[in-house]
Amino acid sequence: MSDPLTVGDTAPDIRLPATGDQELSLADFRGQTVVLYFYPKDSTPGCTSESKDFTRLHDEFRNAGAVILGCSRDGVRSHENFRAKHDIPFDLLSDGNEELCNAFGVLKQKTMFGKKVMGIERSTFLIDPEGTIRQEWRKVKVDGHADAVLEALKAL
C-alpha cells in the first residue's frame, strides 16, 4: 500500500458512484476548488452535525468558488436518504470499495464495543483548481470545523 496522499500531492482520478444517479471523480472538478470531507457513517450524530455545518455554509463556499463533496463507505441509497432528510445541497460519494479512502489514508483501526474495526477517521482535504491538495485536516472534531475550512479556502 502506498503512502497516503498529503499536501502537495495531486488528487487521484478515482470514479465513484454518487448521489443524483451519477458517477463522479475529483478530476471532473478541475478548474474549481474542492472541499472533500470523509465521514464515518450517514445519519450518525457527528456526521449529521458535520454535514449540517457544511450545508449551512454551502452558499459561502460556492461564492468562494468551491464545490463540497462528502464521502463515506455507505451506499448511494443511504446517501440519498441522508441528503433528503437533512436538505444537503451537495453530492455524496459512495466509496464501498474503499479506493478513495485508501488513497487518502483515512481508514484507521478503531475500537467499537470492545472490538477492533476499520473505520473512516473524519478528515477533510482542500484541493485547488489544478487538483493539488492544498490543506488537510485529520482527526477532525466537528465543532467549528466547517468554519475553519471556509477560512482556509478564503485564504487560498
Side-chain angles (χ1 to χ4, degrees):
M1 190 164 146
S2 59
D3 288 335
L5 294 166
T6 190
V7 173
D9 290 339
T10 299
D13 184 13
I14 296 171
R15 190 156 291 283
L16 295 176
T19 49
D21 202 24
Q22 307 173 83
E23 280 202 351
L24 297 174
S25 164
L26 295 173
D28 296 338
F29 298 95
R30 290 284 160 32
Q32 300 175 76
T33 302
V34 174
V35 173
L36 173 64
Y37 75 101
F38 290 89
Y39 63 97
K41 190 149 183 57
D42 289 340
S43 301
T44 56
C47 300
T48 299
S49 251
E50 183 178 26
S51 295
K52 283 181 167 181
D53 286 347
F54 278 115
T55 295
R56 172 177 53 82
L57 297 170
H58 181 251
D59 288 344
E60 288 187 61
F61 277 100
R62 201 170 50 212
N63 291 340
V67 173
I68 300 170
L69 296 171
C71 183
S72 80
R73 298 181 299 176
D74 294 303
V76 173
R77 176 175 286 151
S78 175
H79 280 348
E80 292 289 6
N81 293 338
F82 184 49
R83 260 184 93 192
K85 183 174 182 182
H86 299 290
D87 296 317
I88 297 170
F90 45 83
D91 287 305
L92 302 176
L93 305 174
S94 174
D95 192 14
N97 293 331
E98 302 175 347
E99 274 186 280
L100 201 59
C101 289
N102 282 322
F104 280 91
V106 300
L107 289 176
K108 303 292 178 188
Q109 191 168 15
K110 300 175 167 189
T111 303
M112 284 180 71
F113 307 111
K115 287 191 165 83
K116 299 225 180 281
V117 296
M118 290 302 284
I120 291 178
E121 177 181 80
R122 196 180 307 281
S123 307
T124 302
F125 298 86
L126 188 57
I127 302 165
D128 74 15
E130 289 75 50
T132 303
I133 301 167
R134 296 292 299 272
Q135 199 156 345
E136 65 181 359
W137 294 262
R138 294 184 183 269
K139 297 183 185 173
V140 165
K141 300 286 180 248
V142 172
D143 285 348
H145 176 62
D147 296 278
V149 175
L150 181 61
E151 288 309 308
L153 168 65
K154 289 177 176 177
L156 268 189

PDB file of all heavy atoms in Angstrom, residues 7 40 43 47-48 58-59 61 77 83 122 130 145 155:
ATOM      1  N   VAL A   7      -0.603  17.088   1.547  1.00  0.00           N
ATOM      2  CA  VAL A   7      -0.461  18.412   0.946  1.00  0.00           C
ATOM      3  C   VAL A   7       0.644  18.383  -0.111  1.00  0.00           C
ATOM      4  O   VAL A   7       1.726  17.845   0.120  1.00  0.00           O
ATOM      5  CB  VAL A   7      -0.165  19.465   2.044  1.00  0.00           C
ATOM      6  CG1 VAL A   7       0.150  20.821   1.424  1.00  0.00           C
ATOM      7  CG2 VAL A   7      -1.353  19.575   2.988  1.00  0.00           C
ATOM      8  N   PRO A  40     -17.515   9.016   8.835  1.00  0.00           N
ATOM      9  CA  PRO A  40     -17.703   7.586   9.070  1.00  0.00           C
ATOM     10  C   PRO A  40     -19.009   6.987   8.561  1.00  0.00           C
ATOM     11  O   PRO A  40     -18.997   5.939   7.931  1.00  0.00           O
ATOM     12  CB  PRO A  40     -17.605   7.463  10.590  1.00  0.00           C
ATOM     13  CG  PRO A  40     -16.772   8.632  11.003  1.00  0.00           C
ATOM     14  CD  PRO A  40     -17.147   9.726  10.053  1.00  0.00           C
ATOM     15  N   SER A  43     -26.161   9.514   8.842  1.00  0.00           N
ATOM     16  CA  SER A  43     -27.212   9.558   9.871  1.00  0.00           C
ATOM     17  C   SER A  43     -26.735   9.245  11.286  1.00  0.00           C
ATOM     18  O   SER A  43     -27.550   8.941  12.152  1.00  0.00           O
ATOM     19  CB  SER A  43     -28.380   8.630   9.500  1.00  0.00           C
ATOM     20  OG  SER A  43     -28.921   9.040   8.255  1.00  0.00           O
ATOM     21  N   CYS A  47     -21.680  12.849  12.195  1.00  0.00           N
ATOM     22  CA  CYS A  47     -21.688  13.014  10.741  1.00  0.00           C
ATOM     23  C   CYS A  47     -22.845  13.908  10.299  1.00  0.00           C
ATOM     24  O   CYS A  47     -22.711  14.702   9.370  1.00  0.00           O
ATOM     25  CB  CYS A  47     -21.747  11.654  10.053  1.00  0.00           C
ATOM     26  SG  CYS A  47     -20.331  10.619  10.490  1.00  0.00           S
ATOM     27  N   THR A  48     -23.967  13.789  10.978  1.00  0.00           N
ATOM     28  CA  THR A  48     -25.107  14.655  10.682  1.00  0.00           C
ATOM     29  C   THR A  48     -24.751  16.095  11.014  1.00  0.00           C
ATOM     30  O   THR A  48     -24.985  17.014  10.221  1.00  0.00           O
ATOM     31  CB  THR A  48     -26.352  14.192  11.473  1.00  0.00           C
ATOM     32  OG1 THR A  48     -26.674  12.856  11.058  1.00  0.00           O
ATOM     33  CG2 THR A  48     -27.544  15.102  11.218  1.00  0.00           C
ATOM     34  N   HIS A  58     -22.856  26.370   2.789  1.00  0.00           N
ATOM     35  CA  HIS A  58     -22.736  25.978   1.372  1.00  0.00           C
ATOM     36  C   HIS A  58     -22.664  27.181   0.437  1.00  0.00           C
ATOM     37  O   HIS A  58     -21.805  27.230  -0.458  1.00  0.00           O
ATOM     38  CB  HIS A  58     -23.900  25.061   0.983  1.00  0.00           C
ATOM     39  CG  HIS A  58     -23.825  24.600  -0.432  1.00  0.00           C
ATOM     40  ND1 HIS A  58     -24.687  25.038  -1.410  1.00  0.00           N
ATOM     41  CD2 HIS A  58     -22.965  23.750  -1.052  1.00  0.00           C
ATOM     42  CE1 HIS A  58     -24.374  24.473  -2.558  1.00  0.00           C
ATOM     43  NE2 HIS A  58     -23.339  23.691  -2.371  1.00  0.00           N
ATOM     44  N   ASP A  59     -23.545  28.163   0.612  1.00  0.00           N
ATOM     45  CA  ASP A  59     -23.542  29.331  -0.285  1.00  0.00           C
ATOM     46  C   ASP A  59     -22.223  30.093  -0.195  1.00  0.00           C
ATOM     47  O   ASP A  59     -21.708  30.571  -1.210  1.00  0.00           O
ATOM     48  CB  ASP A  59     -24.719  30.263   0.019  1.00  0.00           C
ATOM     49  CG  ASP A  59     -26.049  29.670  -0.438  1.00  0.00           C
ATOM     50  OD1 ASP A  59     -26.047  28.706  -1.236  1.00  0.00           O
ATOM     51  OD2 ASP A  59     -27.097  30.172   0.012  1.00  0.00           O
ATOM     52  N   PHE A  61     -19.273  28.809   0.589  1.00  0.00           N
ATOM     53  CA  PHE A  61     -18.275  28.005  -0.119  1.00  0.00           C
ATOM     54  C   PHE A  61     -18.427  28.202  -1.629  1.00  0.00           C
ATOM     55  O   PHE A  61     -17.438  28.412  -2.334  1.00  0.00           O
ATOM     56  CB  PHE A  61     -18.414  26.514   0.229  1.00  0.00           C
ATOM     57  CG  PHE A  61     -17.727  26.113   1.499  1.00  0.00           C
ATOM     58  CD1 PHE A  61     -18.443  25.969   2.675  1.00  0.00           C
ATOM     59  CD2 PHE A  61     -16.359  25.873   1.520  1.00  0.00           C
ATOM     60  CE1 PHE A  61     -17.808  25.589   3.853  1.00  0.00           C
ATOM     61  CE2 PHE A  61     -15.718  25.496   2.692  1.00  0.00           C
ATOM     62  CZ  PHE A  61     -16.444  25.358   3.865  1.00  0.00           C
ATOM     63  N   ARG A  77     -27.965   4.632  -1.918  1.00  0.00           N
ATOM     64  CA  ARG A  77     -29.329   4.747  -1.371  1.00  0.00           C
ATOM     65  C   ARG A  77     -29.299   5.381   0.019  1.00  0.00           C
ATOM     66  O   ARG A  77     -30.091   6.267   0.337  1.00  0.00           O
ATOM     67  CB  ARG A  77     -30.014   3.388  -1.324  1.00  0.00           C
ATOM     68  CG  ARG A  77     -31.402   3.490  -0.653  1.00  0.00           C
ATOM     69  CD  ARG A  77     -32.155   2.201  -0.701  1.00  0.00           C
ATOM     70  NE  ARG A  77     -32.638   2.002  -2.054  1.00  0.00           N
ATOM     71  CZ  ARG A  77     -32.850   0.822  -2.609  1.00  0.00           C
ATOM     72  NH1 ARG A  77     -32.644  -0.275  -1.928  1.00  0.00           N
ATOM     73  NH2 ARG A  77     -33.302   0.722  -3.835  1.00  0.00           N
ATOM     74  N   ARG A  83     -29.186  12.746   2.477  1.00  0.00           N
ATOM     75  CA  ARG A  83     -29.284  14.060   1.810  1.00  0.00           C
ATOM     76  C   ARG A  83     -30.694  14.621   1.905  1.00  0.00           C
ATOM     77  O   ARG A  83     -30.887  15.796   2.214  1.00  0.00           O
ATOM     78  CB  ARG A  83     -28.923  13.927   0.327  1.00  0.00           C
ATOM     79  CG  ARG A  83     -27.544  14.344  -0.009  1.00  0.00           C
ATOM     80  CD  ARG A  83     -27.318  14.269  -1.497  1.00  0.00           C
ATOM     81  NE  ARG A  83     -27.592  15.560  -2.099  1.00  0.00           N
ATOM     82  CZ  ARG A  83     -27.712  15.760  -3.397  1.00  0.00           C
ATOM     83  NH1 ARG A  83     -27.619  14.764  -4.245  1.00  0.00           N
ATOM     84  NH2 ARG A  83     -27.946  16.956  -3.856  1.00  0.00           N
ATOM     85  N   ARG A 122     -12.537  10.859  10.543  1.00  0.00           N
ATOM     86  CA  ARG A 122     -13.090  12.097   9.982  1.00  0.00           C
ATOM     87  C   ARG A 122     -11.951  12.999   9.504  1.00  0.00           C
ATOM     88  O   ARG A 122     -11.069  13.363  10.277  1.00  0.00           O
ATOM     89  CB  ARG A 122     -13.913  12.792  11.072  1.00  0.00           C
ATOM     90  CG  ARG A 122     -14.841  13.853  10.571  1.00  0.00           C
ATOM     91  CD  ARG A 122     -15.625  14.487  11.725  1.00  0.00           C
ATOM     92  NE  ARG A 122     -16.311  13.507  12.569  1.00  0.00           N
ATOM     93  CZ  ARG A 122     -17.453  12.922  12.268  1.00  0.00           C
ATOM     94  NH1 ARG A 122     -18.054  13.194  11.122  1.00  0.00           N
ATOM     95  NH2 ARG A 122     -18.017  12.072  13.110  1.00  0.00           N
ATOM     96  N   GLU A 130      -6.255  23.080  -9.840  1.00  0.00           N
ATOM     97  CA  GLU A 130      -5.366  22.224 -10.641  1.00  0.00           C
ATOM     98  C   GLU A 130      -5.380  20.786 -10.136  1.00  0.00           C
ATOM     99  O   GLU A 130      -4.724  19.918 -10.713  1.00  0.00           O
ATOM    100  CB  GLU A 130      -3.929  22.769 -10.619  1.00  0.00           C
ATOM    101  CG  GLU A 130      -3.744  24.049 -11.414  1.00  0.00           C
ATOM    102  CD  GLU A 130      -4.314  25.269 -10.711  1.00  0.00           C
ATOM    103  OE1 GLU A 130      -4.015  25.478  -9.521  1.00  0.00           O
ATOM    104  OE2 GLU A 130      -5.084  26.009 -11.346  1.00  0.00           O
ATOM    105  N   HIS A 145     -15.421  23.088  12.628  1.00  0.00           N
ATOM    106  CA  HIS A 145     -14.583  22.598  11.536  1.00  0.00           C
ATOM    107  C   HIS A 145     -14.948  23.213  10.187  1.00  0.00           C
ATOM    108  O   HIS A 145     -14.070  23.705   9.467  1.00  0.00           O
ATOM    109  CB  HIS A 145     -14.644  21.073  11.455  1.00  0.00           C
ATOM    110  CG  HIS A 145     -13.879  20.524  10.289  1.00  0.00           C
ATOM    111  ND1 HIS A 145     -12.519  20.703  10.145  1.00  0.00           N
ATOM    112  CD2 HIS A 145     -14.281  19.837   9.196  1.00  0.00           C
ATOM    113  CE1 HIS A 145     -12.125  20.136   9.015  1.00  0.00           C
ATOM    114  NE2 HIS A 145     -13.170  19.607   8.426  1.00  0.00           N
ATOM    115  N   ALA A 155      -8.438  32.047   2.293  1.00  0.00           N
ATOM    116  CA  ALA A 155      -7.042  32.447   2.371  1.00  0.00           C
ATOM    117  C   ALA A 155      -6.200  31.921   1.200  1.00  0.00           C
ATOM    118  O   ALA A 155      -5.059  32.323   1.024  1.00  0.00           O
ATOM    119  CB  ALA A 155      -6.434  31.972   3.691  1.00  0.00           C
TER     120      ALA A 155
END
